[in-house]
Amino acid sequence: MNPSSLEGLIEALRCLPGVGPKSAQRMAYYLLQHDRAGAKRLAEGIDTALRAVQHCVRCNTFTESETCDRCTSSKRDPTQLCIVETPVDMNMMEQAHAYSGLYYVLMGRISPLDGVGPRELKLDRLLARAGDGIVREVILATNYTNEGEATAHYLSELLKSRGIAVTRIARGVPVGGGLEYVDSGTLAQAMRERRPLV
Ligand code: ZN
């Protein structure tokens, strides 16, 4: 039987995605036996990030200020709003150098099996953002996975019903593929060849 504080650590590690009881136990043993300094950095890193990091009020990505640098930049085109699933996808899109508008980060995708529906994604915030009167085109750049496609479909219906023009990035992105795994040339092409959703 483990000491209760160790049990507490094992239980806490299980909040990580894909970590079951056995791997949580392995991680806890490793940290306490082999890397106490690393464990301390981990604890401090989590604590600091929890205090400092919040969601940008405009694009919903992670930031340390109320509005992120990209949203306040005068170099971006405010008439285009690209919707992505995660901050990683947004970074991938930036690296492709094919887009200079603004973003909205869903921080997920509609996934009924995981209990994530429109309400969990807080889509009312997105609707308010897209309907600010300045945005002329919403570009759906969710992944070409079943869930990403379902999310794009749901969003396009929602946005079109409010008179907002919607396009979808072209299928240079492989079926079942996440933006994260696509080379930037392919992603740039998908952005350039985006199509209107009618
Ligand atoms: Zn922002």
Side-chain angles (χ1 to χ4, degrees):
M1 187 64 193
N2 289 315
S4 63
S5 55
L6 179 50
E7 280 302 325
L9 173 59
I10 293 167
E11 191 53 39
L13 286 165
R14 289 191 60 192
C15 76
L16 292 166
V19 173
K22 276 190 180 161
S23 37
Q25 181 162 287
R26 261 199 310 276
M27 286 179 192
Y29 287 178
Y30 176 83
L31 289 170
L32 292 173
Q33 178 63 35
H34 298 292
D35 198 359
R36 287 193 166 231
K40 197 160 189 336
R41 280 199 304 278
L42 179 63
E44 285 166 359
I46 290 172
D47 190 53
T48 306
L50 279 176
R51 286 173 208 275
V53 178
Q54 52 183 309
H55 291 284
C56 171
V57 292
R58 281 172 67 77
C59 73
N60 203 34
T61 196
F62 291 132
T63 174
E64 289 192 354
S65 44
E66 191 175 282
T67 311
C68 75
D69 291 346
R70 192 167 289 121
C71 284
T72 50
S73 167
S74 58
K75 297 192 178 108
R76 314 289 307 201
D77 178 358
T79 67
Q80 289 184 316
L81 187 69
C82 178
I83 300 180
V84 291
E85 293 183 19
T86 67
V88 175
D89 293 343
M90 180 169 71
N91 293 338
M92 289 300 296
M93 199 59 90
E94 283 297 285
Q95 282 167 29
H97 297 294
Y99 179 70
S100 60
L102 293 171
Y103 291 90
Y104 189 88
V105 184
L106 292 172
M107 292 289 177
R109 76 285 298 159
I110 293 173
S111 175
L113 287 177
D114 301 316
V116 181
R119 190 185 305 176
E120 284 69 31
L121 285 182
K122 301 193 179 83
L123 294 184
D124 46 336
R125 284 190 57 199
L126 164 60
L127 287 179
R129 177 69 188 86
D132 69 352
I134 298 168
V135 172
R136 293 268 163 273
E137 178 190 5
V138 171
I139 302 157
L140 297 173
T142 53
N143 292 327
Y144 267 111
T145 55
N146 287 341
E147 290 159 350
E149 285 275 61
T151 305
H153 179 74
Y154 184 88
L155 288 177
S156 72
E157 295 301 312
L158 201 60
L159 291 162
K160 281 187 292 184
S161 73
R162 292 170 187 238
I164 299 167
V166 186
T167 56
R168 176 89 168 109
I169 54 167
R171 208 184 264 274
V173 181
V175 176
L179 261 51
E180 203 178 326
Y181 306 105
V182 177
D183 67 278
S184 50
T186 304
L187 197 52
Q189 190 180 14
M191 175 57 86
R192 282 193 297 269
E193 294 176 1
R194 65 184 182 275
R195 58 189 165 80
L197 292 176
V198 287

